[in-house]
Amino acid sequence: MKTANGNTSVMDMFEKGKVLKICAPMVRYSKLAFRSLVRKYNCDICFTPMIVAADFLRSIKARDSEFTTNERDRPLIVQFAAHDAQSLADAACAVAPFSDGVDLNCGCPQRWAMSAGYGACLINKPELVKDMVRHVRNQVDNPNYTASIKIRIHKDLKQTVDLCQKAESAGVSWITVHGRTTEERHQPVHYDAIKTIKDSVSVPVIANGDIKYLRDVESTHELTGVDGVMAARGLLANPAMFAGYEDTPLQCIWDWVDIAVEQGTPFTCFHHHLIYMLERVSSQPERKVFNSLSSTSAVIDYLQNTYGSVNDLRT
């Protein structure tokens, strides 16, 4: 669905009863090559990695390295870190011709982000978030362009509900909820909190956290009533997860090789993705050998010798 032409909107994808499957913003990882891969395996919407809006606006080099796309990379949401409304709106206007919406990061718990006024500290500034959403809405010259937010939850859920309702009043398109507080990392996801938020707003809500298999998409939907589910680490481990594969299939591994070679993906990124993909399907001695490889050709030789080529899949 090519939605960047201004005629249709990502919002049309939120059909009643359908649970959208979304690739999360992941620093260093949810770049064009990886987005191209997951789109082959039933991913409905992809997010870019988080981009600092002020840096993006200040530097051509930052724009070129942080934001790469192509005409098949749709629907695409660009996620920004920002702490003032005009920077976010300016960044949104810059990427609007090449994307379908922007998302404001209100969930990153890393110390550097919060000390700079970005990320999860914004969940405690509902009026600022409201202003930022309104600025994007008013300044991007495309009524179908979306403005969403991605948040974490408060210990006092009333504060989170207030934040979401304020964002809704400013015209937010949808809200993604990572069902943990800023302090929590690997603790269980608070599905009850996500359900409370879903029940408190009329815009679509996306659930994020601990989605590792396709069955988790359905169970999360049943627990919370959300309109979509976003995965991060689950997709890194198995980019074909949304297509129902329990582990990364060989076809997907070779698809990644083809895409990465075609797009000129730097070796470190190419290799890291394969390390994630092979983790559940390889033994520790195999991983030790694979992790030490240092060139694309060595990786391709190893994959062919250990797992076989794509042609072997067809015999």
Side-chain angles (χ1 to χ4, degrees):
M1 171 177 164
K2 293 185 182 176
T3 57
N5 57 17
N7 297 328
T8 53
S9 169
V10 176
M11 300 311 294
D12 298 337
M13 299 177 73
F14 289 98
E15 299 165 22
K16 208 158 181 60
K18 185 185 176 185
V19 186
L20 291 184
K21 299 184 278 293
I22 300 171
C23 174
M26 291 178 275
V27 173
R28 292 186 303 279
Y29 291 121
S30 62
K31 295 200 165 190
L32 175 60
F34 187 70
R35 297 195 302 266
S36 304
L37 180 66
V38 296
R39 289 186 194 281
K40 291 172 80 86
Y41 292 94
N42 290 10
C43 186
D44 295 310
I45 300 172
C46 290
F47 277 57
T48 68
M50 180 183 80
I51 301 168
V52 176
D55 296 345
F56 187 78
L57 293 166
R58 196 181 307 123
S59 158
I60 292 172
K61 189 178 175 187
R63 288 198 288 280
D64 288 345
S65 69
E66 295 288 338
F67 182 63
T68 313
T69 185
N70 62 30
E71 63 201 16
R72 298 179 304 283
D73 187 28
R74 294 291 183 274
L76 179 65
I77 306 299
V78 184
Q79 192 189 63
F80 285 110
H83 49 48
D84 72 282
Q86 197 53 54
S87 290
L88 180 64
D90 288 345
C93 289
V95 299
F98 315 103
S99 59
D100 303 292
V102 290
D103 185 81
L104 173 63
N105 185 313
C106 305
C108 179
Q110 291 182 27
R111 197 172 290 124
W112 74 266
M114 292 180 67
S115 64
Y118 301 133
C121 70
L122 290 175
I123 64 172
N124 297 314
K125 300 176 181 178
E127 292 297 334
L128 175 58
V129 170
K130 184 177 172 180
D131 196 35
M132 292 164 97
V133 170
R134 189 174 283 135
H135 266 65
V136 173
R137 275 274 181 238
N138 291 341
Q139 294 183 36
V140 174
D141 188 23
N142 175 357
N144 291 320
Y145 199 73
T146 63
S148 55
I149 61 174
K150 184 172 187 289
I151 67 170
R152 282 184 174 239
I153 59 172
H154 299 81
K155 286 196 180 86
D156 176 4
L157 204 56
K158 287 201 277 298
Q159 290 179 265
T160 319
V161 168
D162 176 62
L163 167 71
C164 293
Q165 290 176 339
K166 281 190 165 74
E168 181 176 28
S169 73
V172 80
S173 304
W174 74 79
I175 299 165
T176 301
V177 183
H178 184 144
R180 293 184 174 98
T181 66
T182 304
E183 293 76 32
E184 291 175 326
R185 292 296 181 272
H186 303 294
Q187 290 89 335
V189 171
H190 299 282
Y191 293 106
D192 53 337
I194 298 174
K195 185 180 190 311
T196 298
I197 293 162
K198 170 63 187 164
D199 292 343
S200 304
V201 294
S202 55
V203 294
V205 172
I206 310 293
N208 174 223
D210 281 3
I211 306 297
K212 297 190 174 76
Y213 301 97
L214 184 61
R215 58 180 173 271
D216 298 333
V217 174
E218 194 48 50
S219 61
T220 300
H221 172 64
E222 285 174 10
L223 284 167
T224 62
V226 289
D227 306 274
V229 167
M230 176 184 282
R233 285 192 302 259
L235 276 178
L236 282 181
N238 177 10
M241 174 184 76
F242 285 147
Y245 292 92
E246 289 286 298
D247 295 307
T248 310
L250 186 56
Q251 179 68 56
C252 180
I253 289 166
W254 285 114
D255 283 342
W256 171 244
V257 172
D258 289 343
I259 290 166
V261 169
E262 181 195 335
Q263 295 189 13
T265 301
F267 174 75
T268 305
C269 178
F270 167 67
H271 191 212
H272 277 181
H273 273 292
L274 285 167
I275 289 169
Y276 279 115
M277 289 182 213
L278 294 171
E279 194 170 7
R280 293 206 300 242
V281 296
S282 56
S283 65
Q284 195 171 4
E286 285 173 337
R287 285 200 296 276
K288 195 172 176 185
V289 172
F290 184 80
N291 295 1
S292 69
L293 299 176
S294 57
S295 72
T296 301
S297 57
V299 165
I300 291 172
D301 286 346
Y302 177 90
L303 292 173
Q304 283 179 328
N305 293 334
T306 310
Y307 301 105
S309 68
V310 180
N311 292 333
D312 296 336
L313 292 172
R314 301 190 180 109
T315 55

